[in-house]
Amino acid sequence: MDNKEKTIELIIANKKLAFQNQEKEKRAHELVSANKELAFQKKEKDKRAAELLLANKELAYQNEQKDKRAAELVLANEELAYQNEQKDKRAAELILANEELAYQKELKKKRASELSNSNKEVDDLEKRVKERTEDLESFSYSVSHDLRTPLRAINGYAKMLEEDYGTVLDAEGLRFLGEVRSNANKMGVLIDDLLTFSRLGRKGITKSTVDMNMLLETVLSALNQSMTHNAEIKFSNLLLAVADYNLLQHVLTNLLLNAIKYSSKKEKPMIEIKSEQKNGEIIYSISDNGVGFDMQYGNKLFGVFQRLHDDEEFSGNGVGLAIVKRIIDKHDGNVWAVGKEGQGATFYFSLPDNDK
C-alpha cells in the first residue's frame, strides 16, 4: 500500500475517531444530563416521600381526632340522653310539685279560714277571761276588804280578853287565846297580800330608770328593821332597770323574804343577787343556799296559794311569789326558778333591755 492510500485511511480513521469522540462527548453530556435528571428525580422523590410522610402523619392525627370526636360525640349523646331523661323526670316532679302546691294552697286557704274562726274564738275567749278576771279581782278585793272588819274585831276582842282576863285563864286557855291572835294576824297578812295581788290587776305602771343597787339598799334596810335574820346578803354593780319603782320594790322584797326564810335553817345562810344582759333582756337572779326544791314541782311556785312546804316547817300563805309573777308579767318580763332539794335555789326575773 502506498503512502497516499495510507494517508487517506489515516484521514478516514481520524474522522471516525473524531466522530466517535464527538459521539462519546455527546453521550457523556447526555449521561451528565441524565444523572442530573436522575438526581432531580431522586430529590423530588425524597421530597414527595417527606410530603407523603407528613400527609400520613396528618392523616393519622386527623383519624385520631376523628376517633376522639366520635368518642366525645358518643359521650355527648349519652349526656343528652341523660339530660332528656332528667328533663322528663323533672317535668314529672314539677307536675307533682304543682299538684302539691295546689293542694297546699287549698289547705292553706282552709287553714286560714279555720285560723280566722279560731282567732275569733280566741278573741271571744280572751274577752270572757278578761271579764271573769276583772269580776274575780273585784270580788277578791271586795271580800278581802270586807273581811278586814270582822278580823280586826276578832283580834281586838282577843287582845282585850288577854288583857282583862289573862289572870283568870289557865295556861291552856292562854295558849288557845294566843293561837286565835296568831291566826288572826296570819289572816290579816293573807288579806293584805290578796288585796295587793288584786290591786295589781287594775293598777297601771309608771316606768322610770331604777338604780337597782340603791333600791336593794332601801329594801334591805326596811327588812332589817322589820325582822331579825343572820343571812349574809351580797350584791354589787347591778344593772339599771327601766320599770315601775314601787312595783319593783315589791318584787325584791318578796324574793328576798323568800330567800331569807328558806335559808334560815342553815348554819351560815348565804344570799347573792346578780344581774346580766342577755338576748335583749336584763336578767336578775337571787340565789340562796337554803332547802331548795324538787324541779318537778317548780310549776307550782308562782301560783296563788301554791306552796311546796308545810306551814309547820316554813310559814307563809303562797301569795308572795304570785305577786312577783304578776308584777313582772305587767312589765313584759319573765320569772322562773331553778333549785335542787337541800342545795338551795335561784329565782330569776327578766325585764326588757331598753338599750337594745
Side-chain angles (χ1 to χ4, degrees), residues 119-135:
N119 285 338
K120 187 178 179 182
E121 291 176 2
V122 169
D123 289 341
D124 292 341
L125 182 61
E126 285 181 347
K127 184 179 179 181
R128 289 198 299 272
V129 168
K130 185 178 180 182
E131 291 172 352
R132 298 294 183 274
T133 301
E134 289 175 352
D135 291 343

Side-chain angles (χ1 to χ4, degrees), residues 259 262-266 268-272 286-295 309 313-314 337-348:
Y262 289 106
S263 63
S264 61
K265 296 185 179 182
K266 289 287 183 178
K268 292 182 179 180
M270 299 284 294
I271 298 172
E272 186 171 12
I286 294 89
S287 301
D288 65 69
N289 63 340
V291 295
F293 62 90
D294 189 335
M295 285 295 291
H309 300 275
E313 187 178 8
F314 294 101
V338 176
K340 191 171 183 180
E341 287 186 304
Q343 297 184 26
T346 300
F347 283 76
Y348 299 89

Side-chain angles (χ1 to χ4, degrees), residues 65-282:
Q65 291 298 309
K66 182 180 178 182
D67 292 340
K68 185 177 178 181
R69 296 293 181 274
E72 290 175 349
L73 185 60
V74 170
L75 289 174
N77 287 333
E78 290 176 352
E79 178 65 20
L80 183 61
Y82 174 75
Q83 292 295 336
N84 287 332
E85 182 182 344
Q86 291 297 307
K87 184 179 177 181
D88 293 340
K89 185 179 178 182
R90 295 292 180 274
E93 290 175 348
L94 186 60
I95 291 171
L96 289 174
N98 285 334
E99 291 175 353
E100 177 66 19
L101 185 62
Y103 171 73
Q104 291 295 338
K105 188 175 180 181
E106 186 66 26
L107 194 62
K108 184 178 179 182
K109 187 177 179 181
K110 183 179 177 182
R111 293 289 183 273
S113 177
E114 292 174 351
L115 184 61
S116 178
N117 293 333
S118 178
N119 285 338
K120 187 178 179 182
E121 291 176 2
V122 169
D123 289 341
D124 292 341
L125 182 61
E126 285 181 347
K127 184 179 179 181
R128 289 198 299 272
V129 168
K130 185 178 180 182
E131 291 172 352
R132 298 294 183 274
T133 301
E134 289 175 352
D135 291 343
L136 182 60
E137 288 174 350
S138 178
F139 174 75
S140 298
Y141 182 82
S142 177
V143 170
S144 299
H145 188 271
D146 292 344
L147 282 175
R148 278 183 160 185
T149 301
L151 190 63
R152 278 197 295 267
I154 292 171
N155 205 18
Y157 281 118
K159 184 178 181 181
M160 285 189 292
L161 187 62
E162 183 180 14
E163 291 175 350
D164 296 341
Y165 297 94
T167 56
V168 177
L169 296 173
D170 60 11
E172 189 69 4
L174 289 172
R175 187 179 71 80
F176 288 155
L177 192 58
E179 287 293 325
V180 170
R181 293 195 62 189
S182 175
N183 282 282
N185 288 329
K186 287 181 181 179
M187 190 66 177
V189 172
L190 176 59
I191 289 172
D192 289 340
D193 286 344
L194 284 174
L195 284 171
T196 300
F197 185 76
S198 178
R199 288 193 194 100
L200 287 173
R202 300 190 300 271
K203 181 179 173 62
I205 60 175
T206 304
K207 289 185 178 182
S208 62
T209 301
V210 179
D211 185 329
M212 293 294 281
N213 297 284
M214 291 182 65
L215 176 57
L216 200 54
E217 292 283 4
T218 301
V219 169
L220 287 174
S221 176
L223 288 178
N224 290 334
Q225 290 178 18
S226 64
M227 64 184 298
T228 302
H229 68 86
N230 61 339
E232 180 182 350
I233 301 174
K234 297 191 297 183
F235 69 94
S236 64
N237 300 320
L238 296 178
L239 296 171
L240 296 175
V242 176
D244 186 299
Y245 181 92
N246 292 325
L247 293 182
L248 212 52
Q249 188 171 3
H250 270 296
V251 169
L252 290 177
T253 299
N254 281 321
L255 290 177
L256 282 171
L257 280 172
N258 195 70
I260 291 170
K261 176 168 61 177
Y262 289 106
S263 63
S264 61
K265 296 185 179 182
K266 289 287 183 178
E267 184 179 349
K268 292 182 179 180
M270 299 284 294
I271 298 172
E272 186 171 12
I273 300 98
K274 296 180 180 179
S275 64
E276 64 172 330
Q277 286 177 306
K278 188 176 181 181
N279 299 327
E281 293 183 315
I282 300 179

